[in-house]
């Protein structure tokens, strides 16, 4: 599956899942926007992008080097970046239109997103860092939970083995 089809499906899924009844705000949606760095300042900045912003951006072309995961699936963006991209495309129609005009005629999808994240780095860097830190803390918490469960089983097994070795054996 290529990146552009994934984005189309994700944007479509997001727009269906986030329909708002008239006059009722969605607090969870606002939290998600905040977590993903979608602020009014970012939206205003993104709306200032033009075709030339992307076409004339000084970026080295990596050729055909592709990022791969262990399952040999293309992985150019982090999970946070993917979620940010889907949400920003649904919030800022101008970016969606730019992407449609640029990809794949003038830019590859991967290059478009690399340029985008370079252009918005000063707006989203702290949000992405916060997401990375949060993920690490969750990972550590899960490891600690697994370790404490393992320790409880090990202690129980040790106590049982010790009781078995202390008990007199009868032939």
């Amino acid at each position: 599956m290529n990146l552009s089809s994934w984005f189309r499906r994700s944007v479509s899924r997001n727009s269906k899942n986030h329909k708002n009844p008239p006059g009722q705000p969605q607090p969870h949606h606002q939290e998600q926007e905040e977590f993903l760095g979608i602020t009014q300042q970012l939206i205003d900045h993104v709306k200032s992008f033009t075709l030339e912003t992307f076409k004339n951006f000084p970026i080295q072309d990596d050729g055909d080097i592709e990022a791969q995961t262990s399952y040999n699936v293309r992985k150019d963006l982090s999970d946070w970046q993917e979620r940010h991209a889907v949400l920003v495309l649904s919030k800022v129609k101008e970016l969606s239109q730019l992407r449609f005009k640029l990809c794949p005629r003038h830019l590859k999808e991967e290059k478009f997103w690399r340029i985008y994240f370079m252009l918005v780095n000063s707006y989203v860097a702290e949000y992405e860092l916060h997401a990375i830190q949060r993920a690490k803390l969750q990972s550590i918490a899960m490891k600690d939970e697994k370790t404490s469960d393992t320790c409880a089983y090990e202690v129980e097994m040790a106590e049982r083995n010790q009781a078995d070795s202390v008990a007199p054996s009868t032939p």
Side-chain angles (χ1 to χ4, degrees):
M1 164 175 62
N2 69 22
L3 200 57
S4 61
S5 63
W6 178 88
F7 277 122
R8 277 193 296 274
R9 280 199 327 275
S10 296
V11 169
S12 172
R13 212 176 309 133
N14 257 6
S15 63
K16 289 176 187 172
N17 292 340
H18 295 293
K19 293 290 183 199
N20 217 7
Q24 291 188 3
Q26 282 188 339
H28 175 69
H29 189 64
Q30 288 174 335
E31 281 179 28
Q32 183 182 19
E33 286 179 10
E34 180 69 24
F35 177 73
L36 295 173
I38 309 294
T39 62
Q40 190 57 47
Q41 293 168 330
L42 174 77
I43 291 170
D44 293 340
H45 180 62
V46 170
K47 284 182 178 181
S48 71
F49 295 167
T50 64
L51 289 171
E52 285 71 34
T53 304
F54 285 86
K55 285 182 180 179
N56 300 330
F57 192 84
I59 188 171
Q60 288 182 339
D61 199 7
D62 291 344
D64 290 333
I65 298 173
E66 296 179 1
Q68 302 284 330
T69 64
S70 58
Y71 297 105
N72 205 25
V73 175
R74 198 178 174 88
K75 184 77 172 157
D76 295 327
L77 302 175
S78 70
D79 290 339
W80 184 90
Q81 287 175 330
E82 287 177 2
R83 291 171 43 208
H84 172 91
V86 168
L87 190 56
V88 80
L89 282 173
S90 67
K91 293 281 292 179
V92 184
K93 298 301 177 198
E94 293 85 350
L95 182 65
S96 184
Q97 292 168 353
L98 269 176
R99 186 175 143 260
F100 179 76
K101 291 176 184 175
L102 288 167
C103 300
R105 205 171 317 145
H106 301 285
L107 293 174
K108 290 183 178 179
E109 187 83 26
E110 297 79 19
K111 191 171 182 181
F112 174 86
W113 288 112
R114 271 194 295 153
I115 293 171
Y116 168 81
F117 281 108
M118 287 180 190
L119 290 168
V120 300
N121 185 44
S122 62
Y123 293 88
V124 300
E126 77 178 70
Y127 296 99
E128 188 171 11
L129 180 61
H130 179 70
I132 291 168
Q133 291 170 341
R134 187 174 169 185
K136 282 184 181 179
L137 288 174
Q138 287 174 342
S139 173
I140 290 169
M142 288 176 62
K143 280 184 184 178
D144 288 346
E145 188 177 303
K146 286 180 182 179
T147 303
S148 65
D149 287 348
T150 303
C151 289
Y153 294 128
E154 288 174 357
V155 168
E156 190 176 310
M157 292 290 287
E159 288 174 353
R160 176 186 274 174
N161 290 342
Q162 187 177 20
D164 289 344
S165 66
V166 172
S169 59
T170 54

